[in-house]
Amino acid sequence: MSDSLLADIEPNQGPSAPLPAVSTVPSRRRRRVALAALLLAAAGYSWLASDFDLSRFAPLVVGVPMVFAAVAALRSWIHHDRRRAASRSRERRRFGGLHHRGVLMWSVLAALLIAWELRELTGSPRVDYPTVTSLVGTITSFRPVYALAFLAWLVVGYRLIERQR
Amino acid sequence: MTATIGVAVFALIAVGVVGLEAVARRSGHPHATMTEVGRWLRSHRVMRWALLISWGFVGWHFFVQ
């Protein structure tokens, strides 16, 4: 409902009278509750996934969120692209308006990680040349850490497919 | 000794990530947070799919293989 329409239906108000603010508190609270429920469900799922007795079902446990993410991404991104196409302000800014130094710093860190990972990958034995995979494999041999890592993976997936505002 | 150096370099990179994120979150600083860089990357259609495929690969690699 537009502000002018609200002004039209409010009786006994002069042109300078303040318009009643449309409350967004219930929808915000609903969104927060839904997010908390989603996080709780993801935590439960991660704990289930970390059960080493169920390791033979690992492809299914990992595959389900992947398929769900792909479908949700397709829907979310089609909606996003349509909305962007409909809006007139489609100006392109370099680095999306981010400061070039910020992008450069993150790029340097990513390049360092890739370079060091490649250097370690070419070394042998693995005990002397640990890679990200071997390090993660070591620390996730404890069930709570495995569950936390799985939850982090799910959260990153959610952040990837959520609609951009 | 070689393993210690290897782990130390990875730890340094991790400290760099946390430090850069902390600096970027300070108001008025020109650096970008990881979320902002992620949002910029996701604004490109190809990058969006590349990120999603990378996410899937990471999950499969760490939790299935």
Side-chain angles (χ1 to χ4, degrees):
Chain A
M1 193 180 286
S2 70
D3 288 349
S4 59
L5 191 56
L6 270 175
D8 288 344
I9 59 173
E10 284 293 327
N12 303 325
Q13 283 188 346
S16 60
L19 293 171
V22 179
S23 173
T24 55
V25 174
S27 69
R28 227 183 266 167
R29 188 183 295 163
R30 214 177 303 140
R31 185 178 149 77
R32 221 176 285 160
V33 168
L35 270 177
L38 204 62
L39 188 66
L40 208 66
Y45 190 77
S46 302
W47 187 252
L48 189 79
S50 65
D51 189 345
F52 297 122
D53 292 337
L54 299 175
S55 59
R56 65 178 180 279
F57 296 114
L60 187 72
V61 169
V62 175
V64 167
M66 279 168 69
V67 171
F68 178 79
V71 173
L74 205 64
R75 285 186 53 166
S76 168
W77 293 344
I78 285 173
H79 171 88
H80 172 78
D81 288 342
R82 270 195 201 141
R83 208 176 55 180
R84 263 190 83 177
S87 74
R88 293 179 182 227
S89 58
R90 293 183 67 198
E91 54 170 298
R92 282 225 173 255
R93 286 182 297 170
R94 206 169 173 214
F95 299 128
L98 299 177
H99 197 278
H100 68 276
R101 206 190 303 159
V103 176
L104 182 74
M105 294 291 277
W106 284 112
S107 307
V108 166
L109 277 176
L112 258 176
L113 179 67
I114 292 167
W116 193 254
E117 174 75 357
L118 287 176
R119 183 203 175 269
E120 295 292 272
L121 264 176
T122 53
S124 182
R126 188 56 59 230
V127 184
D128 285 340
Y129 296 91
T131 59
V132 172
T133 307
S134 68
L135 289 173
V136 170
T138 306
I139 58 170
T140 54
S141 55
F142 304 98
R143 189 178 177 185
V145 182
Y146 186 102
L148 271 177
F150 196 89
L151 180 62
W153 178 70
L154 289 179
V155 169
V156 170
Y158 174 79
R159 293 301 302 269
L160 278 178
I161 59 172
E162 75 175 337
R163 282 181 187 167
Q164 296 191 28
R165 283 177 283 260
Chain B
M1 183 64 186
T2 321
T4 312
I5 294 171
V7 173
V9 172
F10 281 123
L12 266 177
I13 294 170
V15 168
V17 168
V18 173
L20 190 56
E21 181 71 14
V23 167
R25 277 178 187 273
R26 269 171 34 198
S27 60
H29 214 280
H31 289 306
T33 63
M34 208 186 282
T35 309
E36 288 165 344
V37 175
R39 195 176 297 142
W40 167 55
L41 289 174
R42 284 187 296 145
S43 65
H44 300 265
R45 197 177 297 175
V46 177
M47 278 309 294
R48 253 183 266 161
W49 283 106
L51 284 172
L52 191 72
I53 290 167
S54 307
W55 171 79
F57 170 78
V58 165
W60 197 265
H61 183 64
F62 286 135
F63 303 117
V64 178
Q65 286 181 353

